[in-house]
Amino acid sequence: MKNIISTVWDSWLKRHKESVLLFDSIAAASEIALMLNGQWDGCNGVIMAKCDEVAVNTATKLLEATWCYQGASKAVLHRVTTDEILRRYATGERNFVNANLRCAVLASVKLSEINLSYALLSWADLSQANLSKADLTAADLSQANLSGTDLSKAYLMRTNLTKADLQQASLRGANLSSANLSEVNLTDADLRGANLALADLRGANFHFCNLSGANLTGAKLIESDLAFARQ
């Protein structure tokens, strides 16, 4: 009985609290905000005082768009091609939340300040790319190729970087708090001033990695792994 009451209460709260919806394009978000009397955030988000999912689904079907709640745990958007990402980025778009870019080849591209939070980027090739100040919060970058990538001042909180290749990558001033960096290759990487608080660093390769000024408070690591790091 207690579980039933809890479920009903949670359902009621969900229907009555303000919702933030994310769409697969800025144009779709703008149109749907107008159609459903929502507040467009100027990008691909719409704030709804009360979310009627039937109405949202009907509107997105008319516009051939897709949507999800902000902070959704899995991607619901269609797979985005690399050409589409580059084209939309060139026109000024920066929000690609929840984008599906698994195995994408984006080597040496310039995507500074892009928002790829919650994106699926496992096995992607982002080597030598410019992702400085990018938002990769909670993105899946497991086993991605990030060698030589510029991730300086990037937001990588709770990001999954398991077994990723970050050789010679620049992570100077990046926020990696609570990120999963287990078994990651950080050989010769620059982590000066990076925030690694509560990060999982077990099994990471720190050979010649520069950790000067990095915050390792509460990080999970094996002390011997740091033997060859520069601090």
Side-chain angles (χ1 to χ4, degrees):
M1 183 66 179
K2 184 178 180 181
N3 289 337
I4 294 173
I5 294 172
S6 178
T7 300
V8 172
W9 176 247
D10 289 343
S11 178
W12 186 91
L13 284 176
K14 183 177 180 180
R15 289 197 305 270
H16 289 79
K17 71 178 182 180
E18 195 173 69
S19 300
V20 180
L21 313 183
L22 301 175
F23 296 86
D24 58 353
S25 73
I26 291 176
S30 175
E31 287 291 326
I32 288 171
L34 183 63
M35 292 166 66
L36 301 180
N37 197 31
Q39 181 183 342
W40 179 43
D41 69 356
C43 294
N44 69 324
V46 175
I47 301 168
M48 304 285 290
K50 183 179 180 181
C51 179
D52 182 340
E53 291 190 3
V54 174
V56 175
N57 287 331
T58 301
T60 52
K61 187 175 181 180
L62 288 171
L63 296 171
E64 297 184 347
T66 52
W67 71 282
C68 65
Y69 286 105
Q70 184 180 53
S73 62
K74 63 179 181 180
V76 298
L77 306 184
H78 295 302
R79 181 171 176 80
V80 184
T81 65
T82 54
D83 287 343
E84 184 181 354
I85 283 281
L86 297 176
R87 175 181 59 78
R88 288 163 61 182
Y89 183 89
T91 62
E93 190 169 349
R94 294 293 181 270
N95 287 280
F96 298 92
V97 177
N98 273 329
N100 182 356
L101 287 160
R102 188 174 186 271
C103 299
V105 178
L106 289 162
S108 302
V109 297
K110 295 181 179 180
L111 296 171
S112 60
E113 299 185 52
I114 193 170
N115 185 351
L116 285 166
S117 53
Y118 299 94
L120 181 60
L121 288 154
S122 53
W123 297 93
D125 182 1
L126 291 155
S127 57
Q128 304 294 326
N130 182 350
L131 292 169
S132 58
K133 299 181 181 179
D135 188 347
L136 290 154
T137 301
D140 183 0
L141 282 156
S142 56
Q143 301 191 64
N145 183 358
L146 294 157
S147 58
T149 301
D150 183 358
L151 287 158
S152 55
K153 297 184 179 179
Y155 300 94
L156 293 147
M157 296 81 75
R158 305 189 312 282
T159 301
N160 182 8
L161 287 153
T162 306
K163 296 183 179 180
D165 184 357
L166 282 157
Q167 292 185 76
Q168 300 183 328
S170 174
L171 290 149
R172 190 170 184 177
N175 189 342
L176 290 142
S177 58
S178 299
N180 187 345
L181 291 142
S182 58
E183 299 184 62
V184 72
N185 187 353
L186 289 163
T187 301
D188 214 22
D190 185 355
L191 280 156
R192 285 177 290 175
N195 182 6
L196 291 158
L198 303 175
D200 188 345
L201 296 162
R202 289 173 294 186
N205 184 347
F206 291 100
H207 277 64
F208 309 113
C209 173
N210 194 334
L211 286 164
S212 178
N215 179 11
L216 291 164
T217 304
K220 298 176 184 177
L221 51 83
I222 300 170
E223 293 295 334
S224 59
D225 287 342
L226 296 175
F228 298 99
R230 289 179 286 167
Q231 299 182 60

